[in-house]
Structures are given as C-alpha cells and as structure tokens.
Amino acid sequence: QELLFLCGWSLGILIAANLSEKSQNWFYIILIFFTGMQFFWISGLIPKAITMLPNGEIWVVQITEFFKNIMTNIEVIYPLALGVVLGVVSGMTLNMALGMALGVAFGVAVGVAVGVAGGIALGVAFGVTVGVAVGVAVGVIFSLTGGLTGGLAGGLAAIAGVLRLYFWLPELILTFLLYFFLEPTKALRFLPTHWDELIILPIPFIDRLIVQAYQTNPTLARQTIDHLTNSTNLQKTAAKAMVGIAINELNHCQTTKDIQTLELRWLPSPPPKEVGLLPNLLDISQDVDSALQQTSSYLKQQALNKCLTGLNNLSQQVRFSKDSNQATQFGSIIKKWQSILETAQKGLQQQAQRSQEIINPYIAGTPLEPTSAKERFHGRLDLIHQIESLTLAVQPPVLLLHGGRRTGKTSLLKYLPNKVDSEFLPILIDVQGLSRVNVILFATSFSTEFIEQARQIHNLTLPPPNSEILSQDPFYALKEWFKKIEQIIGNKRILLCIDEFELLSTLIANTNDYAPLDFLRHIMQHRQQWVLLFSGANLLTDLPTYWSSYLINTQTVKVSYLDETNARQLITQPVANFPKDTYTPEAIDAIIHWTHCQPYFIQLLCLTLINHINQAKRKVVELADVTTAIPEAIKTGGQYFSELWNDNENQHEAMLQILANQPVSDQAAVKKLIFKEIIDKETQHFQVPMVKYYLEHRE
C-alpha cells in the first residue's frame, strides 16, 4: 500500500504540473524522486535505526501497527484524485501543485484523514505567509472535527507543503557536499538554486561558497549574487554573501593604495539593509582616491582630513548603535583605516615640509568646520561673548544674526560650541538642508538633523519623536519631543540656531501653511530652556510681510568685516606653523586695501597669492604680486560675485551710477546697499575695491 500511495501522489503531481509554465523542467521530476526517497527513508531506514536502540524491536512493531491501521482505512486513490482535480480546477502553478500533492502525501503518511488534504491545498494556493496561517487554521478545525492528532498533523502537513520542506533536505545535503568536497568556483555551478528558484527556506553554506569563490573568480560570484537577488527567494543569502565579500576586501586593505583601489562599486544601489555601514566605507574609499589625486603633498594631506572626519563619524555611529553586528563587522575595520590614513597623513606632511612649496592653508568659499579648519577661525570673540551673554540672560530675547553673504555667519555658528560656556548647548540647523516639500517631511528632517547635531557636537544621544504622531500632527509631535529633550539636558539651555531662515518662506509657499512659524513662535514664548537664533543675509523688508509679526522684538547681532588687527593675523598667521615673512609689509597693506578686511576676500586673495608664488617657485609675496592676482582671484570667486550682482538686481542702476560717479536717483536703493555694506555710508562709494574692480570689468 505504501508503494501504491507513493505512485498515486507522484502521478497527481505530474498531471497538475502540466498546467504550469515550468512543466517542461526535467529537474522537478528529480525533486519528486528525492521526495519519494525521503518517504522511503522514513518507512525503511528509520525503523532499522530504531531497532538498534534498547527495546527497539518492540517500538518498531508498535509504530508499524499504528501506520498499518491508518493505511488500511484510507483509499490510495485520493491523493491522485485531489492532485488532478484541484490542479485542473484552479489552474495552479507548479509550486502550488507540488505543495498540494506533497502536503497530501505527508498528511496521509502521518495519519491525517483525507479531508485535511483540501486544507493543505488551500494553504499552498494562498502562498507562503498566508499559507502558514491557513495551515494552522486547518489544524485547529480538524482538531475539533477529527481529533487532536489528526488536526495537528493536518496543520503541520499544510505548513510543510507551503514551505516546501520536502525539497529542503536533499538540497541541503547537496549544498553540504558541494561546500566540503568541491572547489568553490566549481561548486557554484551546481547550486540547487540554478534549477529550483522557488526555494523558500534558507540553505546554509551558499553564502560562504560565494565569498570563497570571489577570491578566485569575482565575475562568477557576482553573477551568482545577481541570480539569488533577482530570480530566487534567497535575497538575504545574497546580502550575507555581499557582506562577507566586503568584510574580506576591507580587512585586506593595508595601505592607502588598497583603500583607494577598492573594487566593490558593483554592489547594488540602494544596497540591502543587511550590508550596514558598507556604503559609507565605500564613499570614504572614493574620497581617498580623490584626495591622492591632488597636485601637492599638502593638498593631499588636507583632503585626507575629510576622510578621517568621515571615519570618526562612523566610529561614533558604531559606538552609539544598538546593532551589535555593526560593531562586530565594521568596528575593527574603521580603526584599521584610521591608522592607515593617519600614517599616510604624517608622511605627506613630511614631504610637504621637505618640498619648496609653501603650504596653502587658506579656505575660501565654504564655512569653516572646527574639526578640519581648526585654528583658521579668527576674530569674532566680541560677537561670541554678545551671543553668550544674551543667551544666559534671565529672559533671553530672540536673536537675529545678520550680515552680508560670505561674512562668516555660518562659520561663527559652527565654532560657537567650542567657544562658549557649557551652560548652554548651541544646535545648528541649516534650513537649506531640510525638506521643504510639506510639513511632515520638514518636521522629520528637522528632528533627524537635530539628533545628529546633538550627537556629533555635544555627544548627546536623543530619542526620536513619536513617528505615529509626527505623521499626523508634526509640530505637536515636535513640541512633545522638546519636552523630553528638556528632561534629558537638565538645567542647561539650548540655543537653536536656524541658519538660512529665509528659506522657510519656500515651505510656506509650497504648503500655504504657517504652522512652522507658529511652532517657532510657541518656542519663543513658552519654552524657557530654548533660545532661538535666526541667521540670514536678507533684510526683514526684503522678506514676505508675515515675517514681521513673527520676528518682533528680536535683537540683531551684526556680522560685519574683521577689524584690522584680526585681518592682519588672518593674512600672516592663518595657521600656527605658517612661515613668517611670507608677505612683505607693502603686500599686507595692499591686501588690506583690496579686501577692506572682508574675511572671504582675504581668504580668496591670499589663496590665489600663495598658489601664484608656488608656481613661480618663490617664497615671498610682494606688492606687485597682489595687483597681478586680483583678476585671478575674482575669476576663482566668480560664483560669489555673480550672486552679489544677481541678489541686488533692484539696485543695479544705483550701483552703475555710483560706479560712474553720477548722482543716484534712487536713494532707497542706496540705503539698502549701505545696510548690506556694499556702499560706504560716509563716502557713498564702494567699500571693497575688489567689488568695484569686478563691476568695472564685468562682461
């Protein structure tokens, strides 16, 4: 009867499979054979093994009698009938047919009544997730109608059919043999995934085979990963293989050259979440490649600072992460890379010192970052003390940090945490980097940036706001979140610096919703531990009229040009080890004249001058060099000068009249140019000669 039963369900499978697109795949016949062999092992080999145990023969007799009693009461024809009828009626695919028929077989083999087979077929037809649930339901139903044993067996049979447990054992054995007895590149060609793309349960050793094969045949390993990702259900196995390959490659890096030439750009984008910090390390690898292509030892050394900053951020991320796998997989790699790049940096520094070039320490065009720019920030102590005293007042006002473009507002805010008392915590939020499409995305990006700034600047770990409330009422969620932050920081105050605040107008225009400004006004009026600082370059009169009602009673902190003492220090001693006597006194005076002590212009002109004398293989900047460098400096800073002209479009006629020494008809335009420090109030002429030179030679 066992033989007849095996033939019945096998034939049912083949008939139902004829309805499938894959019915011509010969390997499914082999899978049927392997499944039949499992039935043989259960009915033949297991009893023999049991006889070797104490009283084993008695156990075998009892088990045999149990199954015989069941088999004599079941017609063998039912598996065949169910396989054919349900296959034809439902038009099921091969996977459904196999799962249904094998579910029947397994159910009958363990003593399930014929009716349970229908439940199995339903479980398979609904798919893996729902199928398991249906299998459990079948077990419950038949526990009530057919007894506990039959119901439990029926439920298990349905689940087994859905998960294709019948194929998993032979495929596992095959993979085991491939892993231990065949060379990895050859083993990949015989993986069961090539002919059985419907595998559901993970099979061990596949990811290890791919990792080992990558060492000798990267192309084949990548093809296997692509196949697992795009054609099977084993995407997690493919991700594990990617991580394994990456860990090996990252650990093999011994020099900056190894990091620079890392060949892992074939990984998919976006990568699966299982790869963790791997994409960040690949970005650093690309940055190292860019750094080592710089034209001088000093520039290479400076560019590597960005890479080390990135590694330091990753190290902190690993340290504060709750994911232990990230620490295990990437912690040692990050430390190793840090050591490699620090060693390379020292070597480049020695090369730069031995060379004839002067190290060019000037940074023009981007805000100064304390971690990389370090002591390059000069002056502004008076403004820092003013902000500090206002923040620590009993009733601090709302602060408005105002100044023209490139006067150093953002640099001042970035250096603020390093210069002030620990009683308050400056947090810088750049509106330019936030989403301004809708209020939910804005609030989400705001909280994300806030948490990141608190972690990086103050080593402060904050919980995120309630995501459910955030998606429904974002600013109420932020208010409740601010209360939690107050509990965490104790008696300290937070100075919330909103840089480029004028861009909030874009959010208002996109949403026609003033909730962001109402939220900020609520913070100003009712949250005593919070002090708001708005930073921008526009006048309130240049902003939409609604701003005036939100920024009443603000105290302005004016960011202007440097005083001459700090300007001369920035020129002659931008960093501690800068060579003395690089500039003649006449050259320094000329730089002061052309820039009018505007910090961006000083950085821009001095950057150009040092490059100029390095090319000429000279050590000293002379007066003639300054005059020669003006056109090149203006060309280098072309974006700033274009912005200056375009941002003051309404004052074009006034600027051209002043340039031509003609009377200005629009005095309102003159007042705005004076406020923006483009025109001097006393002389009614351009304050910065470099700006005048640009306008005179503008095409």
Side-chain angles (χ1 to χ4, degrees):
Q1 281 194 343
E2 289 179 357
L3 180 60
L4 290 174
F5 173 75
L6 179 62
C7 293
W9 62 254
S10 297
L11 186 58
I13 291 171
L14 290 175
I15 294 174
N18 283 328
L19 303 171
S20 170
E21 295 178 357
K22 296 186 177 181
S23 60
Q24 304 301 318
N25 193 334
W26 61 269
F27 190 74
Y28 282 93
I29 300 175
I30 296 179
L31 290 179
I32 295 169
F33 172 76
F34 272 110
T35 307
M37 290 299 296
Q38 290 181 73
F39 187 86
F40 169 74
W41 295 336
I42 293 172
S43 62
L45 297 183
I46 292 179
K48 291 181 180 179
I50 294 176
T51 59
M52 301 176 65
L53 301 174
N55 300 321
E57 294 181 358
I58 299 175
W59 292 1
V60 170
V61 171
Q62 292 176 346
I63 293 172
T64 303
E65 288 297 322
F66 174 75
F67 278 102
K68 185 180 295 184
N69 291 333
I70 293 174
M71 297 300 291
T72 55
N73 292 290
I74 296 176
E75 295 293 339
V76 180
I77 196 64
Y78 280 121
L80 171 62
L82 284 172
V84 175
V85 173
L86 292 180
V88 172
V89 171
S90 65
M92 63 179 60
T93 64
L94 179 60
N95 186 33
M96 296 178 187
L98 289 174
M100 181 277 299
L102 294 177
V104 173
F106 186 78
V108 174
V110 296
V112 183
V114 175
V116 180
I120 300 169
L122 290 174
V124 176
F126 278 114
V128 176
T129 303
V130 179
V132 172
V134 171
V136 174
V138 168
V140 173
I141 293 171
F142 283 93
S143 293
L144 298 175
T145 60
L148 180 61
T149 303
L152 178 61
L156 292 176
I159 295 173
V162 173
L163 297 179
R164 309 175 81 251
L165 287 173
Y166 315 98
F167 302 146
W168 183 79
L169 180 58
E171 290 171 342
L172 173 63
I173 293 173
L174 174 60
T175 308
F176 179 86
L177 295 174
L178 293 174
Y179 180 74
F180 285 100
F181 297 103
L182 206 60
E183 193 271 329
T185 53
K186 293 181 179 178
L188 289 188
R189 304 181 189 278
F190 298 100
L191 290 177
T193 54
H194 290 303
W195 50 75
D196 184 11
E197 296 178 346
L198 303 175
I199 295 174
I200 295 173
L201 296 176
I203 298 179
F205 308 118
I206 290 181
D207 58 308
R208 298 185 188 181
L209 278 172
I210 297 173
V211 172
Q212 293 175 5
Y214 187 85
Q215 305 302 318
T216 54
N217 194 335
T219 301
L220 180 60
R222 288 164 56 179
Q223 289 174 349
T224 305
I225 289 174
D226 289 341
H227 175 71
L228 293 179
T229 302
N230 301 318
S231 303
T232 74
N233 298 315
L234 300 181
Q235 285 79 14
K236 288 188 177 181
T237 301
K240 287 179 65 177
M242 292 181 204
V243 173
I245 291 170
I247 294 297
N248 280 351
E249 294 299 304
L250 298 176
N251 271 319
H252 286 158
C253 293
Q254 302 294 329
T255 65
T256 52
K257 187 69 174 177
D258 295 334
I259 298 175
Q260 178 186 13
T261 58
L262 202 59
E263 289 292 338
L264 288 173
R265 290 291 161 187
W266 52 268
L267 292 172
S269 180
K273 63 180 181 179
E274 290 83 359
V275 303
L277 297 177
L278 176 58
N280 304 82
L281 288 168
L282 294 182
D283 288 341
I284 291 174
S285 167
Q286 187 173 352
D287 290 339
V288 171
D289 183 32
S290 176
L292 296 181
Q293 293 183 36
Q294 296 294 324
T295 56
S296 69
S297 299
Y298 177 76
L299 292 177
K300 291 177 182 179
Q301 175 194 348
Q302 292 300 304
L304 285 180
N305 279 334
K306 176 185 176 182
C307 307
L308 283 168
T309 300
L311 288 174
N312 290 334
N313 292 337
L314 286 184
S315 180
Q316 288 187 3
Q317 188 173 337
V318 168
R319 189 179 303 121
F320 292 104
S321 174
K322 296 180 181 179
D323 188 352
S324 59
N325 288 333
Q326 286 194 359
T328 303
Q329 292 174 341
F330 298 106
S332 60
I333 294 173
I334 292 172
K335 289 182 180 179
K336 186 176 182 180
W337 280 29
Q338 285 174 319
S339 176
I340 292 172
L341 296 187
E342 286 170 356
T343 302
Q345 218 179 21
K346 291 178 182 177
L348 290 169
Q349 186 176 8
Q350 293 173 356
Q351 291 178 20
Q353 290 174 350
R354 289 193 299 267
S355 69
Q356 295 298 313
E357 68 176 346
I358 296 176
I359 295 173
N360 199 333
Y362 300 100
I363 299 175
T366 58
L368 300 179
E369 293 284 351
T371 53
S372 56
K374 298 180 180 178
E375 75 270 26
R376 288 175 175 82
F377 184 80
H378 290 268
R380 309 303 193 192
L381 289 180
D382 56 334
L383 298 180
I384 291 173
H385 292 156
Q386 183 182 358
I387 293 172
E388 183 176 25
S389 61
L390 291 171
T391 302
L392 295 177
V394 176
Q395 290 185 328
V398 176
L399 304 180
L400 179 60
L401 188 69
H402 182 268
R405 295 194 179 277
R406 308 289 176 88
T407 52
K409 298 185 300 298
T410 303
S411 297
L412 170 63
L413 295 177
K414 284 180 176 291
Y415 272 82
L416 203 56
N418 301 331
K419 304 284 186 179
V420 296
D421 193 282
S422 61
E423 287 301 312
F424 74 96
L425 309 174
I427 298 288
L428 174 60
I429 303 295
D430 184 358
V431 179
Q432 195 167 22
L434 303 183
S435 174
R436 301 187 295 279
V437 176
N438 59 58
V439 292
I440 294 177
L441 290 178
F442 174 81
T444 302
S445 58
F446 175 90
S447 62
T448 301
E449 181 65 15
F450 191 103
I451 291 171
E452 183 64 17
Q453 288 292 318
R455 184 185 63 80
Q456 287 187 4
I457 307 302
H458 304 291
N459 199 21
L460 186 63
T461 302
L462 299 176
N466 186 297
S467 58
E468 183 177 350
I469 301 176
L470 192 70
S471 63
Q472 298 175 4
D473 191 343
F475 294 105
Y476 177 78
L478 290 183
K479 290 177 186 177
E480 295 302 307
W481 182 53
F482 275 22
K483 293 178 183 178
K484 293 182 180 179
I485 294 175
E486 292 171 4
Q487 295 173 358
I488 293 173
I489 65 173
N491 295 325
K492 295 185 178 182
R493 283 182 176 174
I494 290 181
L495 176 65
L496 181 57
C497 305
I498 310 294
D499 198 16
E500 303 285 354
F501 78 94
E502 305 99 320
L503 293 177
L504 288 171
S505 298
T506 308
L507 177 64
I508 306 301
N510 289 337
T511 62
N512 196 28
D513 188 349
Y514 294 89
L517 299 184
D518 291 333
F519 165 71
L520 292 175
R521 180 155 57 185
H522 169 81
I523 300 302
M524 300 176 204
Q525 296 175 349
H526 302 291
R527 308 254 43 107
Q528 298 301 316
Q529 285 185 255
W530 298 76
V531 180
L532 290 186
L533 181 150
F534 295 93
S535 175
N538 289 333
L539 301 171
L540 288 181
T541 54
D542 294 332
L543 296 174
T545 54
Y546 56 75
W547 275 106
S548 59
S549 62
Y550 287 97
L551 293 181
I552 56 175
N553 299 325
T554 58
Q555 182 153 342
T556 300
V557 177
K558 180 70 173 178
V559 181
S560 184
Y561 302 154
L562 292 173
D563 60 76
E564 188 170 330
T565 301
N566 281 302
R568 289 181 179 273
Q569 185 179 6
L570 176 57
I571 296 168
T572 60
Q573 204 68 35
V575 291
N577 58 351
F578 191 74
K580 295 180 179 179
D581 302 325
T582 299
Y583 299 88
T584 64
E586 294 79 11
I588 297 172
D589 291 339
I591 295 171
I592 295 293
H593 164 74
W594 279 102
T595 64
H596 198 65
C597 298
Q598 207 271 17
Y600 166 70
F601 290 142
I602 292 175
Q603 297 271 12
L604 178 64
L605 183 53
C606 290
L607 176 73
T608 306
L609 286 167
I610 297 301
N611 287 338
H612 174 70
I613 64 171
N614 277 336
Q615 292 174 358
K617 298 188 182 302
R618 294 191 285 113
K619 293 290 187 181
V620 178
V621 176
E622 299 177 349
L623 176 60
D625 296 317
V626 178
T627 306
T628 303
I630 294 298
E632 182 63 27
I634 290 176
K635 181 179 178 181
T636 302
Q639 182 179 356
Y640 167 82
F641 289 100
S642 296
E643 288 176 358
L644 182 144
W645 177 254
N646 294 329
D647 289 349
N648 295 281
E649 184 176 358
N650 295 333
Q651 290 86 48
H652 282 180
E653 184 177 355
M655 286 192 284
L656 294 176
Q657 288 173 342
I658 294 171
L659 192 65
N661 291 320
Q662 296 175 354
V664 180
S665 56
D666 187 353
Q667 288 300 311
V670 173
K671 289 182 179 179
K672 289 185 176 181
L673 292 172
I674 291 173
F675 189 87
K676 294 179 180 180
E677 297 188 308
I678 296 174
I679 300 300
D680 183 77
K681 183 178 181 180
E682 301 298 330
T683 64
Q684 299 282 297
H685 291 297
F686 291 97
Q687 287 199 29
V688 183
M690 284 184 71
V691 172
K692 181 181 179 182
Y693 184 95
Y694 162 74
L695 294 174
E696 289 174 338
H697 297 82
R698 190 182 62 84
E699 297 179 357

